Amino acid sequence: MRDDRGALIVEATIVFPVCLIVILMLLYLGNVYYQKSRIEAIVVEAALDGAAYCADPLLRAIESSEGHKVPDLGAVDYEPYRYLGGLFGGMNPIEESVSSLIKNRIGSMNTGLFSGMKPTGYSNNLQVKYKSSFIASSISVDLEYKIELPIRLLGDRENLSMKFRTHTEVPVGDTPEFIRNVNMVDDILESLGVEEVITEKIQEFRKFVNDFFHK
């Protein structure tokens, strides 16, 4: 019982495989989160591009033109009153553009440090939406995907995989467009003869508030 010859070999046969598995798992997980960070960067960049396209349609025309030159005025669709149009699907082309941009960039990604670790399932789980409340608007991107690990448990036919979800929302800022929309509403109210009535009611409300606080 006191003879410990060969004990080191026995301990090594137990510890070495465990340490090797732990190191491999750390490398695999590191590669997974490296891929995850790349996808999140792609989503954020595409959302920023979409917000810029919403604010300035001319930007899209410049980027799509040969040599990135400013096109002629007649060749540009300025999409007037885009904020109002966004409430009724007027931003669908930009949503599709952002969605296509994300899919193409993720599809062109490599597998990182290990083969077979390319993101999957993102094509059917991608939602790009233009949100508008007239006063404020934003581009929202929701994406779900999974990354497979080159590991398969005993008895399983599929490799282990990790599922991720990312959400990005970027505000759209276009003050001149908002002013144009307000002017359009003002013109409509004036043509309908409602502006004077609304102005009168607002003045009555202001007078009521002033009287109330100065009693």
Side-chain angles (χ1 to χ4, degrees):
M1 295 294 293
R2 294 180 180 179
D3 190 0
D4 58 357
R5 288 179 297 177
L8 183 61
I9 296 176
V10 174
E11 292 175 357
T13 56
I14 297 174
V15 174
F16 180 75
V18 173
C19 291
L20 182 61
I21 292 173
V22 170
I23 292 173
L24 287 176
M25 284 297 297
L26 290 175
L27 291 174
Y28 290 147
L29 291 175
N31 193 59
V32 167
Y33 281 95
Y34 169 66
Q35 296 287 75
K36 178 177 180 291
S37 66
R38 294 173 67 190
I39 292 174
E40 290 181 349
I42 289 173
V43 170
V44 171
E45 185 176 355
L48 289 171
D49 288 342
Y53 295 153
C54 291
D56 187 4
L58 185 61
L59 179 62
R60 253 180 108 191
I62 293 173
E63 290 186 352
S64 60
S65 64
E66 185 177 355
H68 299 289
K69 296 180 180 179
V70 179
D72 296 333
L73 295 178
V76 179
D77 184 6
Y78 286 97
E79 301 177 12
Y81 310 117
R82 293 186 303 280
Y83 279 132
L84 291 179
L87 296 172
F88 307 101
M91 293 297 187
N92 287 341
I94 293 179
E95 294 174 354
E96 294 173 0
S97 174
V98 173
S99 178
S100 177
L101 185 63
I102 293 174
K103 291 178 181 179
N104 291 337
R105 289 182 178 177
I106 294 179
S108 62
M109 286 175 54
N110 55 29
T111 59
L113 299 176
F114 302 97
S115 61
M117 297 184 68
K118 202 166 185 178
T120 58
Y122 56 88
S123 296
N124 299 325
N125 296 292
L126 173 61
Q127 291 184 349
V128 180
K129 190 172 183 180
Y130 174 81
K131 298 180 179 180
S132 176
S133 58
F134 185 71
I135 297 176
S137 57
S138 63
I139 286 286
S140 173
V141 180
D142 290 284
L143 174 64
E144 293 183 12
Y145 60 95
K146 67 177 182 178
I147 300 177
E148 289 189 354
L149 297 169
I151 299 173
R152 185 180 301 175
L153 297 179
L154 294 176
D156 288 344
R157 295 183 179 181
E158 298 181 356
N159 293 348
L160 292 175
S161 62
M162 298 180 66
K163 294 183 179 180
F164 297 97
R165 177 183 297 175
T166 180
H167 170 78
T168 300
E169 190 162 350
V170 178
V172 176
D174 190 0
T175 304
E177 179 67 21
F178 176 75
I179 294 174
R180 284 193 293 269
N181 289 337
V182 172
N183 290 338
M184 182 193 69
V185 174
D186 187 55
D187 293 340
I188 293 174
L189 294 177
E190 184 178 0
S191 63
L192 295 175
V194 183
E195 184 180 18
E196 295 181 1
V197 177
I198 294 178
T199 304
E200 183 179 348
K201 295 297 182 182
I202 292 175
Q203 291 176 352
E204 290 178 0
F205 179 74
R206 287 179 177 174
K207 185 176 182 303
F208 169 78
V209 173
N210 289 332
D211 294 341
F212 180 79
F213 285 101
H214 290 86
K215 285 183 179 180

